[in-house]
Amino acid sequence: MNRNQLLRAVVAALLLLAASPAWTQAPPSPPQAAGLSEQDRQSEALNAAVNARNADITRRVAEEEALYQARLAEWSAQNAEAEAKVKAWEKAQAEWKAQLAACRAEPFSGCNPPKLTKRSKY
C-alpha cells in the first residue's frame, strides 16, 4: 500500500466512525448516588420554604406600603386644609393692617371715629 492509499483508508475509517451513532450521542451520565437524590429532595424542600417566606414578606411589604400611601393621602388632605386656613388668616390680617393704617392716617378717612362732643363735667 502506498502512502496515498493509506491516507484514503484512514480518512474513510474516520468518516465511518464520525457517522456512527456512538459518536453522535451524548455520553451517558454517571449514576447518581442515593445520598445525592436525598440531598436534592432536601434542597427542594428548603427552596420551597424560602420561596414561601419570601412571598409572605413581599405580601407584608405590599400591605405596609398601601397603609403608608393611605396615611400619606390623609395627611396631605389635612395639610392642605390647614394651609388654606393659614392663608385665610393671613389675608384677614393683611386687610386688618391696611384698615388700621388707613385709620391712623390723617384726616382719619379710613375709619369712623366717634363724634366729638363737648367735654362732660366729669
Side-chain angles (χ1 to χ4, degrees):
M1 213 183 233
N2 66 17
R3 186 173 176 195
N4 284 340
Q5 289 175 340
L6 183 61
L7 282 173
R8 283 183 188 166
V10 169
V11 169
L14 287 175
L15 287 175
L16 285 174
L17 284 174
S20 73
W23 286 91
T24 58
Q25 294 177 355
S29 61
Q32 290 193 352
L36 186 58
S37 63
E38 177 61 27
Q39 185 179 4
D40 287 344
R41 282 191 291 275
Q42 290 175 354
S43 178
E44 289 298 322
L46 183 60
N47 285 341
V50 168
N51 289 339
R53 173 106 169 112
N54 287 343
D56 183 49
I57 290 171
T58 302
R59 179 191 51 79
R60 282 188 287 145
V61 167
E63 288 173 357
E64 290 173 3
E65 178 67 21
L67 180 62
Y68 169 76
Q69 291 299 330
R71 287 181 179 171
L72 182 63
E74 180 182 339
W75 176 82
S76 295
Q78 290 174 352
N79 193 34
E81 182 181 340
E83 285 180 3
K85 287 180 180 178
V86 168
K87 286 182 182 180
W89 180 83
E90 288 173 346
K91 181 181 176 189
Q93 185 182 27
E95 290 173 358
W96 175 80
K97 284 183 179 181
Q99 184 182 10
L100 182 63
C103 189
R104 287 183 177 167
E106 292 288 334
F108 303 113
S109 61
C111 64
N112 298 324
K115 294 187 177 187
L116 297 176
T117 58
K118 284 186 168 184
R119 189 171 173 171
S120 66
K121 295 181 180 180
Y122 301 108

